[in-house]
Amino acid sequence: MLSVSLIERCLESGDYDRLLQGLSRNGLVLPLSLRLALGQSATAAAGLGLGRLVELTFGPSGLSQRLVEMLLDDQEAGRGGGGPAMAGADPLLTACGLAGLAAVAADYPGPVDERLRAGVAAGFAELGVLQDGDGLFTAATDRSAADRAVTTAFIVALLGRHRAFRASVRLYDTQRWFAARDGRLDRAGRELWDMARIVIDEVYEPGLALVA
């Protein structure tokens, strides 16, 4: 069981892989390639851990507030104090950090802090800038089309329930890319894209033109 105290210990000790393993056992589909890509990132661990904290707690805690501040500080530093995505930004790490911030903004009761609201909006806009022309995202660790497919499907499955994400990225292009390769994806890509399609189907809004 991935408890609040275990999340805190993993983050404080830098044992991010243990945290990722715990998240996997709690339902997060996380192939080994992604675990290796995320296992050294404090931002990814903080974002994904924060998302789990929101599920376990009602209202902000000391730990969740510290993680929000850390992620917002990282985000603002990465943007150089403002503007769109910095050159070389990694959409996979951006998405993991944003998953925690967006979960707090959406699920905790009470008014949303303006800095948090602005950070979430900027993060979704940044992902739109980082999307490639074919509708996929490319992480710094990706070396092949199969890697890019896994990264993209994971990001859509992770964030697809947030309307701001669906409004910021070109999901039609992403769906078209995967549809053209139906049956040719490797196991990890197929499993994650199946999860992503479930998310898309759950929240489909005709006005956002997710499909043609």
Side-chain angles (χ1 to χ4, degrees), residues 13-37:
S13 66
D15 193 356
Y16 305 142
D17 189 63
R18 184 181 182 190
L19 174 61
L20 295 177
Q21 289 184 55
L23 291 169
S24 295
R25 288 192 290 269
N26 279 276
L28 181 68
V29 179
L30 200 62
L32 179 60
S33 61
L34 285 182
R35 266 186 52 198
L36 293 174

PDB file of all heavy atoms in Angstrom, residues 13-37:
ATOM      1  N   SER A  13      14.063  10.753   0.569  1.00  0.00           N
ATOM      2  CA  SER A  13      15.282   9.958   0.426  1.00  0.00           C
ATOM      3  C   SER A  13      15.779   9.892  -1.014  1.00  0.00           C
ATOM      4  O   SER A  13      16.884   9.403  -1.270  1.00  0.00           O
ATOM      5  CB  SER A  13      15.052   8.536   0.944  1.00  0.00           C
ATOM      6  OG  SER A  13      14.106   7.858   0.123  1.00  0.00           O
ATOM      7  N   GLY A  14      14.971  10.363  -1.948  1.00  0.00           N
ATOM      8  CA  GLY A  14      15.341  10.276  -3.353  1.00  0.00           C
ATOM      9  C   GLY A  14      15.152   8.886  -3.938  1.00  0.00           C
ATOM     10  O   GLY A  14      15.686   8.584  -5.006  1.00  0.00           O
ATOM     11  N   ASP A  15      14.382   8.033  -3.256  1.00  0.00           N
ATOM     12  CA  ASP A  15      14.134   6.673  -3.741  1.00  0.00           C
ATOM     13  C   ASP A  15      12.938   6.707  -4.696  1.00  0.00           C
ATOM     14  O   ASP A  15      11.858   6.168  -4.410  1.00  0.00           O
ATOM     15  CB  ASP A  15      13.856   5.740  -2.557  1.00  0.00           C
ATOM     16  CG  ASP A  15      13.901   4.266  -2.957  1.00  0.00           C
ATOM     17  OD1 ASP A  15      14.065   3.986  -4.155  1.00  0.00           O
ATOM     18  OD2 ASP A  15      13.771   3.412  -2.059  1.00  0.00           O
ATOM     19  N   TYR A  16      13.147   7.337  -5.835  1.00  0.00           N
ATOM     20  CA  TYR A  16      12.039   7.567  -6.751  1.00  0.00           C
ATOM     21  C   TYR A  16      11.542   6.272  -7.390  1.00  0.00           C
ATOM     22  O   TYR A  16      10.355   6.150  -7.684  1.00  0.00           O
ATOM     23  CB  TYR A  16      12.450   8.571  -7.836  1.00  0.00           C
ATOM     24  CG  TYR A  16      12.963   9.885  -7.284  1.00  0.00           C
ATOM     25  CD1 TYR A  16      14.018  10.549  -7.886  1.00  0.00           C
ATOM     26  CD2 TYR A  16      12.376  10.451  -6.157  1.00  0.00           C
ATOM     27  CE1 TYR A  16      14.493  11.747  -7.384  1.00  0.00           C
ATOM     28  CE2 TYR A  16      12.840  11.653  -5.636  1.00  0.00           C
ATOM     29  CZ  TYR A  16      13.912  12.288  -6.259  1.00  0.00           C
ATOM     30  OH  TYR A  16      14.379  13.469  -5.755  1.00  0.00           O
ATOM     31  N   ASP A  17      12.433   5.322  -7.617  1.00  0.00           N
ATOM     32  CA  ASP A  17      12.000   4.080  -8.242  1.00  0.00           C
ATOM     33  C   ASP A  17      11.039   3.321  -7.330  1.00  0.00           C
ATOM     34  O   ASP A  17      10.075   2.714  -7.814  1.00  0.00           O
ATOM     35  CB  ASP A  17      13.205   3.199  -8.584  1.00  0.00           C
ATOM     36  CG  ASP A  17      12.794   1.999  -9.420  1.00  0.00           C
ATOM     37  OD1 ASP A  17      12.306   2.211 -10.541  1.00  0.00           O
ATOM     38  OD2 ASP A  17      12.947   0.853  -8.946  1.00  0.00           O
ATOM     39  N   ARG A  18      11.285   3.345  -6.029  1.00  0.00           N
ATOM     40  CA  ARG A  18      10.356   2.689  -5.105  1.00  0.00           C
ATOM     41  C   ARG A  18       8.979   3.353  -5.174  1.00  0.00           C
ATOM     42  O   ARG A  18       7.938   2.672  -5.131  1.00  0.00           O
ATOM     43  CB  ARG A  18      10.897   2.750  -3.683  1.00  0.00           C
ATOM     44  CG  ARG A  18      10.032   1.989  -2.672  1.00  0.00           C
ATOM     45  CD  ARG A  18      10.595   2.096  -1.264  1.00  0.00           C
ATOM     46  NE  ARG A  18       9.798   1.336  -0.314  1.00  0.00           N
ATOM     47  CZ  ARG A  18       9.942   1.403   1.001  1.00  0.00           C
ATOM     48  NH1 ARG A  18      10.896   2.186   1.527  1.00  0.00           N
ATOM     49  NH2 ARG A  18       9.192   0.686   1.804  1.00  0.00           N
ATOM     50  N   LEU A  19       8.978   4.675  -5.289  1.00  0.00           N
ATOM     51  CA  LEU A  19       7.712   5.394  -5.423  1.00  0.00           C
ATOM     52  C   LEU A  19       7.009   4.989  -6.710  1.00  0.00           C
ATOM     53  O   LEU A  19       5.800   4.718  -6.714  1.00  0.00           O
ATOM     54  CB  LEU A  19       7.966   6.902  -5.411  1.00  0.00           C
ATOM     55  CG  LEU A  19       6.760   7.808  -5.691  1.00  0.00           C
ATOM     56  CD1 LEU A  19       5.678   7.599  -4.648  1.00  0.00           C
ATOM     57  CD2 LEU A  19       7.189   9.265  -5.730  1.00  0.00           C
ATOM     58  N   LEU A  20       7.745   4.902  -7.811  1.00  0.00           N
ATOM     59  CA  LEU A  20       7.146   4.524  -9.083  1.00  0.00           C
ATOM     60  C   LEU A  20       6.606   3.096  -9.033  1.00  0.00           C
ATOM     61  O   LEU A  20       5.536   2.807  -9.585  1.00  0.00           O
ATOM     62  CB  LEU A  20       8.175   4.668 -10.200  1.00  0.00           C
ATOM     63  CG  LEU A  20       8.657   6.099 -10.487  1.00  0.00           C
ATOM     64  CD1 LEU A  20       9.731   6.088 -11.552  1.00  0.00           C
ATOM     65  CD2 LEU A  20       7.503   7.001 -10.887  1.00  0.00           C
ATOM     66  N   GLN A  21       7.337   2.206  -8.379  1.00  0.00           N
ATOM     67  CA  GLN A  21       6.841   0.838  -8.219  1.00  0.00           C
ATOM     68  C   GLN A  21       5.527   0.821  -7.443  1.00  0.00           C
ATOM     69  O   GLN A  21       4.591   0.091  -7.785  1.00  0.00           O
ATOM     70  CB  GLN A  21       7.883  -0.011  -7.504  1.00  0.00           C
ATOM     71  CG  GLN A  21       9.112  -0.337  -8.329  1.00  0.00           C
ATOM     72  CD  GLN A  21      10.043  -1.272  -7.577  1.00  0.00           C
ATOM     73  OE1 GLN A  21       9.650  -2.350  -7.132  1.00  0.00           O
ATOM     74  NE2 GLN A  21      11.294  -0.863  -7.425  1.00  0.00           N
ATOM     75  N   GLY A  22       5.465   1.616  -6.385  1.00  0.00           N
ATOM     76  CA  GLY A  22       4.237   1.694  -5.606  1.00  0.00           C
ATOM     77  C   GLY A  22       3.080   2.243  -6.413  1.00  0.00           C
ATOM     78  O   GLY A  22       1.943   1.752  -6.317  1.00  0.00           O
ATOM     79  N   LEU A  23       3.343   3.253  -7.247  1.00  0.00           N
ATOM     80  CA  LEU A  23       2.296   3.806  -8.096  1.00  0.00           C
ATOM     81  C   LEU A  23       1.823   2.770  -9.110  1.00  0.00           C
ATOM     82  O   LEU A  23       0.634   2.692  -9.420  1.00  0.00           O
ATOM     83  CB  LEU A  23       2.816   5.060  -8.808  1.00  0.00           C
ATOM     84  CG  LEU A  23       3.064   6.275  -7.914  1.00  0.00           C
ATOM     85  CD1 LEU A  23       3.825   7.358  -8.674  1.00  0.00           C
ATOM     86  CD2 LEU A  23       1.748   6.835  -7.369  1.00  0.00           C
ATOM     87  N   SER A  24       2.755   1.970  -9.630  1.00  0.00           N
ATOM     88  CA  SER A  24       2.383   0.911 -10.565  1.00  0.00           C
ATOM     89  C   SER A  24       1.458  -0.099  -9.910  1.00  0.00           C
ATOM     90  O   SER A  24       0.482  -0.571 -10.517  1.00  0.00           O
ATOM     91  CB  SER A  24       3.637   0.202 -11.089  1.00  0.00           C
ATOM     92  OG  SER A  24       4.425   1.072 -11.862  1.00  0.00           O
ATOM     93  N   ARG A  25       1.765  -0.448  -8.671  1.00  0.00           N
ATOM     94  CA  ARG A  25       0.912  -1.417  -7.959  1.00  0.00           C
ATOM     95  C   ARG A  25      -0.454  -0.826  -7.633  1.00  0.00           C
ATOM     96  O   ARG A  25      -1.406  -1.567  -7.370  1.00  0.00           O
ATOM     97  CB  ARG A  25       1.605  -1.891  -6.680  1.00  0.00           C
ATOM     98  CG  ARG A  25       2.781  -2.823  -6.945  1.00  0.00           C
ATOM     99  CD  ARG A  25       3.247  -3.501  -5.675  1.00  0.00           C
ATOM    100  NE  ARG A  25       3.890  -2.564  -4.765  1.00  0.00           N
ATOM    101  CZ  ARG A  25       5.185  -2.307  -4.743  1.00  0.00           C
ATOM    102  NH1 ARG A  25       6.002  -2.920  -5.590  1.00  0.00           N
ATOM    103  NH2 ARG A  25       5.691  -1.440  -3.883  1.00  0.00           N
ATOM    104  N   ASN A  26      -0.558   0.498  -7.652  1.00  0.00           N
ATOM    105  CA  ASN A  26      -1.833   1.156  -7.385  1.00  0.00           C
ATOM    106  C   ASN A  26      -2.581   1.519  -8.664  1.00  0.00           C
ATOM    107  O   ASN A  26      -3.522   2.314  -8.627  1.00  0.00           O
ATOM    108  CB  ASN A  26      -1.614   2.412  -6.537  1.00  0.00           C
ATOM    109  CG  ASN A  26      -1.475   2.102  -5.064  1.00  0.00           C
ATOM    110  OD1 ASN A  26      -2.471   1.970  -4.349  1.00  0.00           O
ATOM    111  ND2 ASN A  26      -0.242   1.965  -4.607  1.00  0.00           N
ATOM    112  N   GLY A  27      -2.152   0.973  -9.800  1.00  0.00           N
ATOM    113  CA  GLY A  27      -2.933   1.128 -11.020  1.00  0.00           C
ATOM    114  C   GLY A  27      -2.323   1.983 -12.107  1.00  0.00           C
ATOM    115  O   GLY A  27      -2.882   2.058 -13.207  1.00  0.00           O
ATOM    116  N   LEU A  28      -1.202   2.657 -11.847  1.00  0.00           N
ATOM    117  CA  LEU A  28      -0.565   3.454 -12.883  1.00  0.00           C
ATOM    118  C   LEU A  28       0.172   2.524 -13.843  1.00  0.00           C
ATOM    119  O   LEU A  28       1.075   1.792 -13.433  1.00  0.00           O
ATOM    120  CB  LEU A  28       0.413   4.455 -12.269  1.00  0.00           C
ATOM    121  CG  LEU A  28       1.133   5.388 -13.246  1.00  0.00           C
ATOM    122  CD1 LEU A  28       0.139   6.362 -13.884  1.00  0.00           C
ATOM    123  CD2 LEU A  28       2.248   6.162 -12.542  1.00  0.00           C
ATOM    124  N   VAL A  29      -0.208   2.536 -15.109  1.00  0.00           N
ATOM    125  CA  VAL A  29       0.460   1.703 -16.111  1.00  0.00           C
ATOM    126  C   VAL A  29       1.797   2.357 -16.442  1.00  0.00           C
ATOM    127  O   VAL A  29       1.850   3.435 -17.017  1.00  0.00           O
ATOM    128  CB  VAL A  29      -0.398   1.544 -17.369  1.00  0.00           C
ATOM    129  CG1 VAL A  29       0.326   0.699 -18.410  1.00  0.00           C
ATOM    130  CG2 VAL A  29      -1.746   0.920 -17.015  1.00  0.00           C
ATOM    131  N   LEU A  30       2.879   1.689 -16.064  1.00  0.00           N
ATOM    132  CA  LEU A  30       4.203   2.291 -16.162  1.00  0.00           C
ATOM    133  C   LEU A  30       5.204   1.246 -16.652  1.00  0.00           C
ATOM    134  O   LEU A  30       5.811   0.544 -15.844  1.00  0.00           O
ATOM    135  CB  LEU A  30       4.622   2.836 -14.784  1.00  0.00           C
ATOM    136  CG  LEU A  30       5.714   3.886 -14.737  1.00  0.00           C
ATOM    137  CD1 LEU A  30       5.297   5.149 -15.468  1.00  0.00           C
ATOM    138  CD2 LEU A  30       6.041   4.232 -13.282  1.00  0.00           C
ATOM    139  N   PRO A  31       5.359   1.111 -17.967  1.00  0.00           N
ATOM    140  CA  PRO A  31       6.319   0.137 -18.491  1.00  0.00           C
ATOM    141  C   PRO A  31       7.732   0.406 -17.986  1.00  0.00           C
ATOM    142  O   PRO A  31       8.060   1.526 -17.568  1.00  0.00           O
ATOM    143  CB  PRO A  31       6.238   0.345 -20.012  1.00  0.00           C
ATOM    144  CG  PRO A  31       4.946   1.048 -20.244  1.00  0.00           C
ATOM    145  CD  PRO A  31       4.678   1.866 -19.017  1.00  0.00           C
ATOM    146  N   LEU A  32       8.569  -0.619 -18.061  1.00  0.00           N
ATOM    147  CA  LEU A  32       9.934  -0.491 -17.560  1.00  0.00           C
ATOM    148  C   LEU A  32      10.679   0.658 -18.221  1.00  0.00           C
ATOM    149  O   LEU A  32      11.422   1.373 -17.551  1.00  0.00           O
ATOM    150  CB  LEU A  32      10.690  -1.805 -17.792  1.00  0.00           C
ATOM    151  CG  LEU A  32      12.153  -1.818 -17.335  1.00  0.00           C
ATOM    152  CD1 LEU A  32      12.267  -1.552 -15.846  1.00  0.00           C
ATOM    153  CD2 LEU A  32      12.812  -3.159 -17.689  1.00  0.00           C
ATOM    154  N   SER A  33      10.473   0.866 -19.516  1.00  0.00           N
ATOM    155  CA  SER A  33      11.176   1.955 -20.200  1.00  0.00           C
ATOM    156  C   SER A  33      10.834   3.306 -19.590  1.00  0.00           C
ATOM    157  O   SER A  33      11.705   4.176 -19.453  1.00  0.00           O
ATOM    158  CB  SER A  33      10.829   1.953 -21.694  1.00  0.00           C
ATOM    159  OG  SER A  33       9.437   2.147 -21.903  1.00  0.00           O
ATOM    160  N   LEU A  34       9.587   3.497 -19.200  1.00  0.00           N
ATOM    161  CA  LEU A  34       9.197   4.760 -18.568  1.00  0.00           C
ATOM    162  C   LEU A  34       9.720   4.846 -17.142  1.00  0.00           C
ATOM    163  O   LEU A  34      10.119   5.921 -16.684  1.00  0.00           O
ATOM    164  CB  LEU A  34       7.680   4.912 -18.586  1.00  0.00           C
ATOM    165  CG  LEU A  34       7.048   5.278 -19.927  1.00  0.00           C
ATOM    166  CD1 LEU A  34       5.542   5.438 -19.776  1.00  0.00           C
ATOM    167  CD2 LEU A  34       7.653   6.557 -20.495  1.00  0.00           C
ATOM    168  N   ARG A  35       9.693   3.721 -16.432  1.00  0.00           N
ATOM    169  CA  ARG A  35      10.249   3.745 -15.074  1.00  0.00           C
ATOM    170  C   ARG A  35      11.708   4.152 -15.096  1.00  0.00           C
ATOM    171  O   ARG A  35      12.171   4.935 -14.261  1.00  0.00           O
ATOM    172  CB  ARG A  35      10.112   2.368 -14.423  1.00  0.00           C
ATOM    173  CG  ARG A  35       8.854   2.213 -13.576  1.00  0.00           C
ATOM    174  CD  ARG A  35       8.847   0.900 -12.851  1.00  0.00           C
ATOM    175  NE  ARG A  35      10.054   0.646 -12.085  1.00  0.00           N
ATOM    176  CZ  ARG A  35      10.427  -0.551 -11.651  1.00  0.00           C
ATOM    177  NH1 ARG A  35       9.702  -1.609 -11.926  1.00  0.00           N
ATOM    178  NH2 ARG A  35      11.530  -0.692 -10.952  1.00  0.00           N
ATOM    179  N   LEU A  36      12.461   3.645 -16.063  1.00  0.00           N
ATOM    180  CA  LEU A  36      13.870   4.014 -16.173  1.00  0.00           C
ATOM    181  C   LEU A  36      14.018   5.478 -16.541  1.00  0.00           C
ATOM    182  O   LEU A  36      14.916   6.169 -16.040  1.00  0.00           O
ATOM    183  CB  LEU A  36      14.554   3.133 -17.224  1.00  0.00           C
ATOM    184  CG  LEU A  36      14.671   1.644 -16.871  1.00  0.00           C
ATOM    185  CD1 LEU A  36      15.237   0.858 -18.047  1.00  0.00           C
ATOM    186  CD2 LEU A  36      15.531   1.439 -15.630  1.00  0.00           C
ATOM    187  N   ALA A  37      13.152   5.971 -17.404  1.00  0.00           N
ATOM    188  CA  ALA A  37      13.231   7.368 -17.822  1.00  0.00           C
ATOM    189  C   ALA A  37      12.873   8.317 -16.685  1.00  0.00           C
ATOM    190  O   ALA A  37      13.437   9.417 -16.578  1.00  0.00           O
ATOM    191  CB  ALA A  37      12.300   7.605 -19.011  1.00  0.00           C
TER     192      ALA A  37
END
